[in-house]
Short mmCIF file of all heavy atoms in Angstrom, two decimals:
data_model
loop_
_atom_site.label_atom_id
_atom_site.label_comp_id
_atom_site.label_asym_id
_atom_site.label_seq_id
_atom_site.Cartn_x
_atom_site.Cartn_y
_atom_site.Cartn_z
N LEU A 1 49.53 3.77 22.98
CA LEU A 1 49.52 2.67 22.04
C LEU A 1 48.18 2.29 21.78
O LEU A 1 47.35 2.23 22.64
CB LEU A 1 50.27 1.51 22.65
CG LEU A 1 51.77 1.42 22.84
CD1 LEU A 1 52.11 0.15 23.48
CD2 LEU A 1 52.52 1.65 21.59
N GLU A 2 47.95 2.05 20.58
CA GLU A 2 46.64 1.57 20.12
C GLU A 2 46.61 0.01 20.02
O GLU A 2 47.52 -0.67 19.72
CB GLU A 2 46.34 2.05 18.60
CG GLU A 2 46.27 3.53 18.40
CD GLU A 2 45.89 3.95 17.05
OE1 GLU A 2 45.37 3.13 16.30
OE2 GLU A 2 46.27 5.04 16.71
N PRO A 3 45.39 -0.52 20.63
CA PRO A 3 45.36 -1.87 20.55
C PRO A 3 45.14 -2.46 19.20
O PRO A 3 44.61 -1.77 18.32
CB PRO A 3 43.97 -2.25 21.33
CG PRO A 3 43.27 -0.93 21.32
CD PRO A 3 44.24 0.21 21.12
N MET A 4 45.85 -3.55 18.93
CA MET A 4 45.74 -4.15 17.57
C MET A 4 44.56 -4.89 17.45
O MET A 4 43.98 -5.46 18.34
CB MET A 4 47.01 -5.16 17.47
CG MET A 4 48.34 -4.61 17.32
SD MET A 4 49.65 -5.76 17.05
CE MET A 4 49.12 -6.40 15.51
N GLU A 5 44.01 -4.75 16.28
CA GLU A 5 42.71 -5.42 15.84
C GLU A 5 43.12 -6.82 15.61
O GLU A 5 44.11 -7.20 15.08
CB GLU A 5 42.11 -4.94 14.67
CG GLU A 5 41.43 -3.49 14.78
CD GLU A 5 40.52 -3.10 13.72
OE1 GLU A 5 40.02 -4.00 12.96
OE2 GLU A 5 40.31 -1.90 13.53
N SER A 6 42.20 -7.73 16.09
CA SER A 6 42.34 -9.18 15.72
C SER A 6 42.03 -9.52 14.34
O SER A 6 41.28 -8.61 13.72
CB SER A 6 41.40 -9.95 16.76
OG SER A 6 40.10 -9.81 16.46
N PRO A 7 42.47 -10.57 13.93
CA PRO A 7 42.05 -11.01 12.45
C PRO A 7 40.59 -11.02 12.24
O PRO A 7 40.12 -10.72 11.19
CB PRO A 7 42.81 -12.26 12.19
CG PRO A 7 43.94 -12.34 13.33
CD PRO A 7 43.39 -11.40 14.44
N HIS A 8 39.93 -11.38 13.36
CA HIS A 8 38.39 -11.56 13.38
C HIS A 8 37.79 -10.20 13.09
O HIS A 8 36.85 -10.15 12.31
CB HIS A 8 37.83 -12.32 14.46
CG HIS A 8 38.32 -13.75 14.62
ND1 HIS A 8 37.98 -14.71 13.75
CD2 HIS A 8 39.23 -14.30 15.48
CE1 HIS A 8 38.46 -15.79 14.04
NE2 HIS A 8 39.26 -15.63 15.14
N SER A 9 38.36 -9.20 13.78
CA SER A 9 37.76 -7.73 13.66
C SER A 9 37.99 -7.26 12.26
O SER A 9 37.08 -6.63 11.71
CB SER A 9 38.43 -6.83 14.79
OG SER A 9 38.06 -7.25 15.99
N GLU A 10 39.16 -7.49 11.66
CA GLU A 10 39.50 -7.02 10.44
C GLU A 10 38.61 -7.73 9.33
O GLU A 10 38.13 -7.08 8.36
CB GLU A 10 40.99 -7.33 10.02
CG GLU A 10 41.95 -6.49 10.89
CD GLU A 10 43.39 -6.82 10.50
OE1 GLU A 10 43.76 -7.41 9.51
OE2 GLU A 10 44.29 -6.54 11.38
N GLN A 11 38.38 -8.99 9.59
CA GLN A 11 37.52 -9.79 8.62
C GLN A 11 36.08 -9.28 8.77
O GLN A 11 35.35 -9.06 7.85
CB GLN A 11 37.58 -11.26 8.93
CG GLN A 11 36.81 -12.10 7.87
CD GLN A 11 36.91 -13.59 8.08
OE1 GLN A 11 37.40 -14.04 9.22
NE2 GLN A 11 36.61 -14.40 7.14
N ALA A 12 35.55 -8.99 10.04
CA ALA A 12 34.30 -8.51 10.23
C ALA A 12 34.10 -7.11 9.52
O ALA A 12 33.06 -6.81 8.99
CB ALA A 12 34.04 -8.37 11.79
N ASP A 13 35.23 -6.19 9.72
CA ASP A 13 35.08 -4.93 9.02
C ASP A 13 35.00 -5.06 7.54
O ASP A 13 34.28 -4.31 6.87
CB ASP A 13 36.29 -4.04 9.40
CG ASP A 13 36.27 -3.68 10.83
OD1 ASP A 13 35.20 -3.67 11.51
OD2 ASP A 13 37.34 -3.33 11.33
N GLN A 14 35.88 -5.97 6.98
CA GLN A 14 35.75 -6.15 5.50
C GLN A 14 34.48 -6.68 5.04
O GLN A 14 33.88 -6.14 4.07
CB GLN A 14 36.85 -7.13 5.13
CG GLN A 14 36.97 -7.41 3.55
CD GLN A 14 38.03 -8.41 3.16
OE1 GLN A 14 38.80 -8.80 4.01
NE2 GLN A 14 37.94 -8.81 1.82
N LEU A 15 33.84 -7.59 5.81
CA LEU A 15 32.54 -8.14 5.51
C LEU A 15 31.48 -7.08 5.51
O LEU A 15 30.64 -6.94 4.61
CB LEU A 15 32.13 -9.36 6.23
CG LEU A 15 33.02 -10.60 6.13
CD1 LEU A 15 32.70 -11.68 7.15
CD2 LEU A 15 32.72 -11.13 4.61
N GLU A 16 31.60 -6.16 6.54
CA GLU A 16 30.70 -5.10 6.64
C GLU A 16 30.67 -4.16 5.48
O GLU A 16 29.71 -3.66 4.85
CB GLU A 16 30.80 -4.31 7.90
CG GLU A 16 30.27 -5.01 9.11
CD GLU A 16 30.51 -4.15 10.37
OE1 GLU A 16 30.36 -2.89 10.36
OE2 GLU A 16 30.62 -4.86 11.36
N ARG A 17 32.00 -3.86 4.94
CA ARG A 17 32.16 -2.94 3.77
C ARG A 17 31.54 -3.62 2.51
O ARG A 17 30.92 -2.99 1.71
CB ARG A 17 33.70 -2.67 3.59
CG ARG A 17 34.17 -1.68 4.68
CD ARG A 17 35.61 -1.24 4.19
NE ARG A 17 36.55 -2.30 4.22
CZ ARG A 17 37.24 -2.78 5.24
NH1 ARG A 17 37.12 -2.18 6.36
NH2 ARG A 17 38.27 -3.74 4.97
N GLU A 18 31.72 -4.96 2.46
CA GLU A 18 31.24 -5.66 1.28
C GLU A 18 29.75 -5.72 1.25
O GLU A 18 29.02 -5.50 0.26
CB GLU A 18 31.77 -7.13 1.22
CG GLU A 18 33.23 -7.22 0.86
CD GLU A 18 33.79 -8.64 0.94
OE1 GLU A 18 32.98 -9.49 0.96
OE2 GLU A 18 35.00 -8.82 0.95
N LEU A 19 29.13 -5.83 2.30
CA LEU A 19 27.71 -5.76 2.72
C LEU A 19 27.14 -4.51 2.21
O LEU A 19 26.20 -4.26 1.50
CB LEU A 19 27.27 -6.07 3.98
CG LEU A 19 25.78 -6.15 4.23
CD1 LEU A 19 24.99 -7.04 3.33
CD2 LEU A 19 25.48 -6.37 5.77
N ASP A 20 27.87 -3.44 2.74
CA ASP A 20 27.42 -2.01 2.31
C ASP A 20 27.49 -1.86 0.90
O ASP A 20 26.59 -1.20 0.31
CB ASP A 20 28.22 -0.89 3.00
CG ASP A 20 27.86 -0.83 4.59
OD1 ASP A 20 26.89 -1.30 4.97
OD2 ASP A 20 28.86 -0.41 5.18
N ASP A 21 28.53 -2.28 0.23
CA ASP A 21 28.73 -2.12 -1.24
C ASP A 21 27.65 -2.91 -1.89
O ASP A 21 27.00 -2.53 -2.90
CB ASP A 21 30.08 -2.71 -1.66
CG ASP A 21 30.42 -2.40 -3.16
OD1 ASP A 21 30.09 -1.32 -3.58
OD2 ASP A 21 30.90 -3.32 -3.81
N MET A 22 27.27 -4.12 -1.57
CA MET A 22 26.26 -5.04 -2.09
C MET A 22 24.91 -4.29 -2.01
O MET A 22 24.05 -4.31 -2.95
CB MET A 22 26.20 -6.39 -1.56
CG MET A 22 27.41 -7.27 -1.88
SD MET A 22 27.55 -8.80 -1.05
CE MET A 22 26.12 -9.57 -1.71
N GLN A 23 24.62 -3.75 -0.89
CA GLN A 23 23.36 -2.97 -0.71
C GLN A 23 23.16 -1.84 -1.66
O GLN A 23 22.15 -1.59 -2.21
CB GLN A 23 23.23 -2.55 0.81
CG GLN A 23 22.81 -3.66 1.71
CD GLN A 23 22.88 -3.31 3.20
OE1 GLN A 23 23.62 -2.41 3.64
NE2 GLN A 23 22.06 -4.09 3.88
N GLU A 24 24.29 -1.03 -1.73
CA GLU A 24 24.29 0.04 -2.60
C GLU A 24 24.09 -0.39 -4.18
O GLU A 24 23.20 0.24 -4.85
CB GLU A 24 25.52 0.77 -2.55
CG GLU A 24 25.78 2.09 -3.45
CD GLU A 24 27.07 2.79 -3.30
OE1 GLU A 24 27.66 2.71 -2.25
OE2 GLU A 24 27.50 3.41 -4.29
N GLN A 25 24.66 -1.48 -4.53
CA GLN A 25 24.52 -1.93 -5.89
C GLN A 25 23.11 -2.37 -6.09
O GLN A 25 22.51 -2.24 -7.14
CB GLN A 25 25.55 -3.09 -6.15
CG GLN A 25 26.98 -2.71 -6.36
CD GLN A 25 27.99 -3.80 -6.53
OE1 GLN A 25 27.39 -4.86 -6.91
NE2 GLN A 25 29.23 -3.56 -6.21
N SER A 26 22.53 -3.09 -5.15
CA SER A 26 21.16 -3.49 -5.15
C SER A 26 20.24 -2.29 -5.25
O SER A 26 19.37 -2.45 -6.21
CB SER A 26 20.76 -4.37 -3.93
OG SER A 26 19.58 -4.66 -3.93
N GLU A 27 20.43 -1.23 -4.66
CA GLU A 27 19.57 -0.20 -4.67
C GLU A 27 19.70 0.58 -6.16
O GLU A 27 18.71 0.94 -6.72
CB GLU A 27 19.95 0.94 -3.51
CG GLU A 27 19.50 0.46 -2.27
CD GLU A 27 20.01 1.31 -1.16
OE1 GLU A 27 20.67 2.41 -1.40
OE2 GLU A 27 19.84 1.05 0.15
N LYS A 28 20.93 0.56 -6.62
CA LYS A 28 21.18 1.08 -7.99
C LYS A 28 20.32 0.23 -9.06
O LYS A 28 19.77 0.79 -9.91
CB LYS A 28 22.55 1.12 -8.39
CG LYS A 28 23.32 2.35 -7.68
CD LYS A 28 24.70 2.28 -8.05
CE LYS A 28 25.57 3.46 -7.28
NZ LYS A 28 26.95 3.36 -7.61
N LEU A 29 20.53 -1.07 -8.81
CA LEU A 29 19.83 -1.98 -9.80
C LEU A 29 18.34 -1.84 -9.75
O LEU A 29 17.54 -1.84 -10.75
CB LEU A 29 20.26 -3.41 -9.46
CG LEU A 29 19.71 -4.43 -10.46
CD1 LEU A 29 20.09 -4.21 -11.89
CD2 LEU A 29 20.27 -5.83 -10.01
N GLU A 30 17.76 -1.76 -8.56
CA GLU A 30 16.25 -1.46 -8.31
C GLU A 30 15.87 -0.23 -9.10
O GLU A 30 14.83 -0.22 -9.82
CB GLU A 30 15.99 -1.40 -6.99
CG GLU A 30 15.94 -2.83 -6.22
CD GLU A 30 15.55 -2.55 -4.72
OE1 GLU A 30 14.94 -1.54 -4.31
OE2 GLU A 30 16.08 -3.48 -3.82
N GLY A 31 16.54 0.81 -8.87
CA GLY A 31 16.36 2.07 -9.72
C GLY A 31 16.43 1.94 -11.22
O GLY A 31 15.50 2.36 -11.95
N ARG A 32 17.31 1.11 -11.75
CA ARG A 32 17.47 0.80 -13.14
C ARG A 32 16.26 -0.02 -13.63
O ARG A 32 15.69 0.24 -14.64
CB ARG A 32 18.79 0.21 -13.53
CG ARG A 32 19.97 1.05 -13.39
CD ARG A 32 21.19 0.39 -13.63
NE ARG A 32 21.24 -0.06 -15.05
CZ ARG A 32 22.12 -0.96 -15.51
NH1 ARG A 32 23.13 -1.41 -14.79
NH2 ARG A 32 22.03 -1.38 -16.80
N ILE A 33 15.89 -0.92 -12.79
CA ILE A 33 14.71 -1.74 -13.12
C ILE A 33 13.34 -0.89 -13.29
O ILE A 33 12.66 -0.97 -14.10
CB ILE A 33 14.50 -2.89 -12.13
CG1 ILE A 33 15.71 -3.94 -12.28
CG2 ILE A 33 13.23 -3.51 -12.30
CD1 ILE A 33 15.74 -4.97 -11.33
N ASP A 34 13.26 0.02 -12.19
CA ASP A 34 12.08 0.89 -12.19
C ASP A 34 12.05 1.75 -13.38
O ASP A 34 11.10 1.95 -14.08
CB ASP A 34 12.08 1.54 -10.90
CG ASP A 34 11.64 0.82 -9.74
OD1 ASP A 34 11.27 -0.30 -9.85
OD2 ASP A 34 12.04 1.40 -8.57
N ASP A 35 13.19 2.37 -13.70
CA ASP A 35 13.38 3.25 -14.89
C ASP A 35 12.98 2.56 -16.18
O ASP A 35 12.32 3.02 -17.07
CB ASP A 35 14.73 3.72 -15.01
CG ASP A 35 15.06 4.80 -13.98
OD1 ASP A 35 14.01 5.22 -13.25
OD2 ASP A 35 16.29 5.07 -13.81
N THR A 36 13.53 1.18 -16.32
CA THR A 36 13.22 0.39 -17.52
C THR A 36 11.80 0.13 -17.64
O THR A 36 11.21 0.20 -18.67
CB THR A 36 14.11 -0.93 -17.56
OG1 THR A 36 15.54 -0.39 -17.41
CG2 THR A 36 13.89 -1.79 -18.79
N ARG A 37 11.25 -0.26 -16.41
CA ARG A 37 9.78 -0.62 -16.53
C ARG A 37 8.89 0.59 -16.87
O ARG A 37 8.00 0.36 -17.71
CB ARG A 37 9.35 -1.19 -15.12
CG ARG A 37 7.86 -1.58 -14.95
CD ARG A 37 7.50 -2.16 -13.59
NE ARG A 37 8.13 -3.50 -13.42
CZ ARG A 37 9.06 -3.65 -12.38
NH1 ARG A 37 9.31 -2.75 -11.55
NH2 ARG A 37 9.62 -4.70 -12.35
N GLU A 38 9.15 1.75 -16.30
CA GLU A 38 8.51 2.98 -16.72
C GLU A 38 8.68 3.30 -18.18
O GLU A 38 7.79 3.64 -18.79
CB GLU A 38 8.99 4.19 -15.88
CG GLU A 38 8.45 4.07 -14.47
CD GLU A 38 9.16 5.12 -13.54
OE1 GLU A 38 9.86 6.04 -14.15
OE2 GLU A 38 9.06 4.96 -12.23
N ASP A 39 9.85 3.09 -18.68
CA ASP A 39 10.06 3.34 -20.16
C ASP A 39 9.33 2.52 -21.01
O ASP A 39 8.70 2.82 -21.95
CB ASP A 39 11.55 3.18 -20.39
CG ASP A 39 11.95 3.57 -21.88
OD1 ASP A 39 11.57 4.57 -22.36
OD2 ASP A 39 12.61 2.72 -22.53
N TRP A 40 9.27 1.08 -20.59
CA TRP A 40 8.52 0.07 -21.39
C TRP A 40 7.01 0.40 -21.30
O TRP A 40 6.31 0.30 -22.38
CB TRP A 40 8.78 -1.25 -20.74
CG TRP A 40 7.90 -2.39 -21.46
CD1 TRP A 40 7.06 -3.19 -20.89
CD2 TRP A 40 7.97 -2.77 -22.88
NE1 TRP A 40 6.55 -4.00 -21.71
CE2 TRP A 40 7.04 -3.80 -23.05
CE3 TRP A 40 8.78 -2.32 -23.97
CZ2 TRP A 40 6.90 -4.48 -24.25
CZ3 TRP A 40 8.45 -2.94 -25.19
CH2 TRP A 40 7.63 -3.90 -25.28
N GLU A 41 6.52 0.72 -20.22
CA GLU A 41 4.99 1.24 -20.07
C GLU A 41 4.78 2.29 -21.01
O GLU A 41 3.79 2.42 -21.66
CB GLU A 41 4.63 1.48 -18.67
CG GLU A 41 4.78 0.22 -17.80
CD GLU A 41 3.75 -0.94 -18.26
OE1 GLU A 41 2.70 -0.64 -18.79
OE2 GLU A 41 4.26 -2.07 -18.04
N ARG A 42 5.67 3.32 -21.11
CA ARG A 42 5.41 4.57 -22.00
C ARG A 42 5.41 4.00 -23.56
O ARG A 42 4.68 4.38 -24.14
CB ARG A 42 6.51 5.50 -21.77
CG ARG A 42 6.32 6.43 -20.62
CD ARG A 42 7.24 7.62 -20.60
NE ARG A 42 8.62 7.25 -20.71
CZ ARG A 42 9.36 7.17 -19.60
NH1 ARG A 42 8.84 7.13 -18.40
NH2 ARG A 42 10.63 6.71 -19.63
N LYS A 43 6.41 3.14 -23.83
CA LYS A 43 6.40 2.63 -25.16
C LYS A 43 5.28 1.77 -25.60
O LYS A 43 4.77 1.89 -26.73
CB LYS A 43 7.69 1.80 -25.40
CG LYS A 43 8.99 2.73 -25.38
CD LYS A 43 10.26 1.87 -25.49
CE LYS A 43 11.48 2.80 -25.49
NZ LYS A 43 12.70 2.09 -25.60
N LYS A 44 4.80 1.05 -24.66
CA LYS A 44 3.48 0.28 -24.98
C LYS A 44 2.38 1.14 -25.12
O LYS A 44 1.43 0.70 -26.07
CB LYS A 44 3.23 -0.77 -23.77
CG LYS A 44 4.16 -1.98 -23.70
CD LYS A 44 3.69 -3.00 -22.87
CE LYS A 44 2.98 -2.68 -21.55
NZ LYS A 44 2.76 -3.81 -20.61
N ALA A 45 2.26 2.16 -24.51
CA ALA A 45 1.24 3.15 -24.63
C ALA A 45 1.41 4.04 -25.92
O ALA A 45 0.28 4.70 -26.29
CB ALA A 45 1.15 4.07 -23.51
N ASP A 46 2.51 4.02 -26.53
CA ASP A 46 2.69 4.81 -27.74
C ASP A 46 2.57 3.96 -28.91
O ASP A 46 3.31 3.06 -29.19
CB ASP A 46 4.13 5.41 -27.59
CG ASP A 46 4.44 6.45 -28.78
OD1 ASP A 46 3.60 6.54 -29.63
OD2 ASP A 46 5.54 7.11 -28.56
N ASP A 47 1.52 4.42 -29.86
CA ASP A 47 1.33 3.62 -31.03
C ASP A 47 2.43 3.68 -31.99
O ASP A 47 2.37 2.93 -33.05
CB ASP A 47 -0.02 4.11 -31.70
CG ASP A 47 -1.22 3.81 -30.80
OD1 ASP A 47 -1.26 3.01 -30.01
OD2 ASP A 47 -2.23 4.48 -30.93
N LYS A 48 3.29 4.63 -31.88
CA LYS A 48 4.33 4.99 -32.75
C LYS A 48 5.62 3.99 -32.63
O LYS A 48 6.47 3.98 -33.51
CB LYS A 48 4.88 6.28 -32.72
CG LYS A 48 3.82 7.41 -33.16
CD LYS A 48 4.22 8.75 -32.93
CE LYS A 48 3.12 9.74 -33.28
NZ LYS A 48 3.46 11.04 -32.73
N VAL A 49 5.55 3.27 -31.52
CA VAL A 49 6.57 2.29 -31.21
C VAL A 49 6.35 0.91 -31.72
O VAL A 49 5.46 0.28 -31.10
CB VAL A 49 6.88 2.34 -29.61
CG1 VAL A 49 8.17 1.35 -29.37
CG2 VAL A 49 7.27 3.78 -29.11
N PRO A 50 6.97 0.37 -32.87
CA PRO A 50 6.48 -0.81 -33.34
C PRO A 50 6.96 -2.02 -32.40
O PRO A 50 8.01 -1.94 -31.80
CB PRO A 50 7.42 -0.99 -34.61
CG PRO A 50 8.41 0.20 -34.54
CD PRO A 50 7.97 1.17 -33.50
N GLY A 51 5.98 -2.93 -32.23
CA GLY A 51 6.25 -4.16 -31.50
C GLY A 51 6.02 -3.94 -30.05
O GLY A 51 5.94 -4.98 -29.35
N ALA A 52 5.83 -2.81 -29.56
CA ALA A 52 5.52 -2.59 -28.08
C ALA A 52 4.11 -2.80 -27.74
O ALA A 52 3.64 -2.96 -26.61
CB ALA A 52 5.88 -1.19 -27.64
N GLY A 53 3.16 -2.95 -28.71
CA GLY A 53 1.74 -2.95 -28.53
C GLY A 53 1.27 -4.26 -28.17
O GLY A 53 0.07 -4.45 -27.85
N GLY A 54 1.99 -5.40 -28.23
CA GLY A 54 1.61 -6.61 -27.89
C GLY A 54 1.43 -7.65 -28.91
O GLY A 54 1.25 -8.80 -28.68
N ASP A 55 1.52 -7.25 -30.19
CA ASP A 55 1.39 -8.14 -31.23
C ASP A 55 2.59 -7.86 -32.25
O ASP A 55 2.52 -7.11 -33.19
CB ASP A 55 0.13 -7.90 -32.07
CG ASP A 55 -0.14 -9.03 -33.13
OD1 ASP A 55 0.73 -9.93 -33.21
OD2 ASP A 55 -1.12 -8.92 -33.85
N PRO A 56 3.79 -8.38 -31.87
CA PRO A 56 5.01 -8.09 -32.58
C PRO A 56 4.77 -8.52 -34.04
O PRO A 56 5.44 -7.85 -35.01
CB PRO A 56 6.13 -8.90 -31.98
CG PRO A 56 5.38 -9.77 -31.00
CD PRO A 56 4.02 -9.44 -30.77
N HIS A 57 4.18 -9.52 -34.48
CA HIS A 57 4.17 -9.98 -35.91
C HIS A 57 3.31 -8.86 -36.69
O HIS A 57 3.67 -8.56 -37.82
CB HIS A 57 3.38 -11.26 -36.01
CG HIS A 57 4.39 -12.49 -35.53
ND1 HIS A 57 5.55 -12.81 -36.16
CD2 HIS A 57 4.09 -13.25 -34.47
CE1 HIS A 57 5.97 -13.73 -35.43
NE2 HIS A 57 5.21 -14.03 -34.44
N ALA A 58 2.30 -8.31 -36.21
CA ALA A 58 1.57 -7.27 -36.79
C ALA A 58 2.40 -6.12 -36.97
O ALA A 58 2.27 -5.35 -38.00
CB ALA A 58 0.26 -7.01 -36.06
N ALA A 59 3.23 -5.71 -35.91
CA ALA A 59 4.02 -4.62 -36.01
C ALA A 59 5.10 -4.70 -37.01
O ALA A 59 5.63 -3.73 -37.65
CB ALA A 59 4.60 -4.34 -34.57
N GLU A 60 5.69 -5.93 -37.17
CA GLU A 60 6.72 -6.18 -38.13
C GLU A 60 6.11 -6.32 -39.51
O GLU A 60 6.94 -6.43 -40.59
CB GLU A 60 7.40 -7.48 -37.90
CG GLU A 60 8.16 -7.34 -36.54
CD GLU A 60 8.75 -8.68 -36.01
OE1 GLU A 60 8.67 -9.68 -36.74
OE2 GLU A 60 9.36 -8.69 -34.99
N GLY A 61 4.85 -6.37 -39.75
CA GLY A 61 4.38 -6.41 -41.11
C GLY A 61 4.14 -7.83 -41.50
O GLY A 61 4.12 -8.14 -42.70
N GLY A 62 4.10 -8.79 -40.57
CA GLY A 62 3.77 -10.10 -41.00
C GLY A 62 4.97 -11.08 -40.87
O GLY A 62 5.39 -11.28 -39.82
N THR A 63 5.43 -11.55 -41.96
CA THR A 63 6.56 -12.60 -42.00
C THR A 63 7.90 -11.95 -41.65
O THR A 63 8.18 -10.89 -42.21
CB THR A 63 6.65 -13.04 -43.45
OG1 THR A 63 5.23 -13.53 -43.91
CG2 THR A 63 7.56 -14.26 -43.57
N PRO A 64 8.60 -12.54 -40.78
CA PRO A 64 9.92 -12.05 -40.39
C PRO A 64 10.86 -12.12 -41.59
O PRO A 64 10.69 -12.97 -42.40
CB PRO A 64 10.21 -12.92 -39.18
CG PRO A 64 9.47 -14.25 -39.33
CD PRO A 64 8.16 -13.85 -39.95
N PRO A 65 11.89 -11.25 -41.66
CA PRO A 65 12.75 -11.30 -42.80
C PRO A 65 13.56 -12.53 -43.07
O PRO A 65 13.70 -13.01 -44.08
CB PRO A 65 13.77 -10.13 -42.52
CG PRO A 65 13.13 -9.38 -41.27
CD PRO A 65 12.06 -10.16 -40.70
N GLU A 66 13.87 -13.23 -41.92
CA GLU A 66 14.49 -14.51 -42.05
C GLU A 66 13.73 -15.65 -42.79
O GLU A 66 14.25 -16.57 -43.32
CB GLU A 66 15.08 -15.08 -40.70
CG GLU A 66 14.05 -15.39 -39.76
CD GLU A 66 13.65 -14.13 -38.80
OE1 GLU A 66 14.00 -13.11 -39.17
OE2 GLU A 66 13.05 -14.43 -37.76
N ALA A 67 12.47 -15.47 -42.82
CA ALA A 67 11.56 -16.49 -43.50
C ALA A 67 11.66 -16.35 -45.17
O ALA A 67 11.25 -17.22 -45.83
CB ALA A 67 10.13 -16.28 -43.12
N ASN A 68 12.27 -15.20 -45.52
CA ASN A 68 12.37 -15.14 -46.96
C ASN A 68 13.66 -15.83 -47.63
O ASN A 68 13.91 -15.91 -48.72
CB ASN A 68 12.68 -13.61 -47.41
CG ASN A 68 11.27 -12.83 -47.03
OD1 ASN A 68 10.29 -13.36 -47.24
ND2 ASN A 68 11.52 -11.54 -46.63
N TYR A 69 14.49 -16.34 -46.73
CA TYR A 69 15.64 -17.15 -47.26
C TYR A 69 15.40 -18.61 -47.42
O TYR A 69 14.57 -19.16 -46.79
CB TYR A 69 16.80 -17.02 -46.08
CG TYR A 69 17.41 -15.62 -46.05
CD1 TYR A 69 17.00 -14.73 -45.06
CD2 TYR A 69 18.20 -15.11 -47.02
CE1 TYR A 69 17.38 -13.50 -44.79
CE2 TYR A 69 18.75 -13.78 -46.93
CZ TYR A 69 18.32 -13.02 -45.81
OH TYR A 69 18.83 -11.78 -45.79
N THR A 70 15.99 -19.06 -48.51
CA THR A 70 15.74 -20.55 -48.83
C THR A 70 17.23 -21.16 -48.70
O THR A 70 18.09 -20.49 -48.87
CB THR A 70 15.20 -20.78 -50.16
OG1 THR A 70 16.02 -20.24 -51.12
CG2 THR A 70 13.81 -20.21 -50.25
N THR A 71 17.25 -22.44 -48.52
CA THR A 71 18.50 -23.08 -48.43
C THR A 71 18.66 -23.99 -49.83
O THR A 71 17.65 -24.29 -50.46
CB THR A 71 18.55 -24.13 -47.29
OG1 THR A 71 17.49 -25.09 -47.43
CG2 THR A 71 18.50 -23.45 -46.04
N GLN A 72 19.78 -24.19 -50.17
CA GLN A 72 20.02 -24.92 -51.37
C GLN A 72 19.57 -26.27 -51.23
O GLN A 72 19.61 -26.87 -50.20
CB GLN A 72 21.50 -25.00 -51.80
CG GLN A 72 22.06 -23.79 -52.43
CD GLN A 72 23.51 -23.91 -52.86
OE1 GLN A 72 24.24 -24.64 -52.34
NE2 GLN A 72 23.71 -23.33 -54.08
N GLY A 73 18.84 -26.84 -52.38
CA GLY A 73 18.32 -28.03 -52.26
C GLY A 73 16.89 -28.19 -51.95
O GLY A 73 16.24 -29.20 -52.01
N ASP A 74 16.26 -27.03 -51.62
CA ASP A 74 14.81 -26.95 -51.34
C ASP A 74 14.07 -26.95 -52.67
O ASP A 74 14.31 -26.43 -53.71
CB ASP A 74 14.50 -25.70 -50.52
CG ASP A 74 14.94 -25.88 -49.03
OD1 ASP A 74 15.22 -26.93 -48.68
OD2 ASP A 74 14.78 -24.85 -48.37
#
């Protein structure tokens, strides 16, 4: 006969599985953040990527498109 696990053992096992899952998700997220950061640094260094150089208004050509709209009564 196998000894029955106590409810506390079952809960501890479940919490350990959840902790392992959270650690795995955290590591994946860290990898995605690193990849995104590297991609952004490459884009900032590339003059062909508009807006990545640090002056978004200059990259957009000055006035944003929404500034061209007027409201009635103006």
Side-chain angles (χ1 to χ4, degrees):
L1 289 178
E2 292 182 23
M4 289 187 59
E5 285 193 24
S6 71
H8 296 291
S9 291
E10 291 176 23
Q11 186 177 14
D13 290 344
Q14 180 181 351
L15 290 173
E16 284 182 35
R17 286 190 299 271
E18 289 178 17
L19 178 60
D20 289 342
D21 186 45
M22 290 171 65
Q23 287 174 332
E24 183 179 329
Q25 289 179 21
S26 176
E27 289 170 7
K28 286 180 183 179
L29 182 57
E30 285 178 27
R32 290 178 61 194
I33 290 170
D34 289 342
D35 291 346
T36 302
R37 183 176 290 119
E38 290 171 11
D39 183 50
W40 176 241
E41 293 301 324
R42 278 193 303 272
K43 288 177 179 176
K44 285 195 320 187
D46 187 348
D47 293 335
K48 296 176 189 167
V49 179
D55 189 2
H57 291 294
E60 292 174 2
T63 308
E66 60 271 14
N68 293 328
Y69 293 101
T70 59
T71 58
Q72 278 188 324
D74 283 352

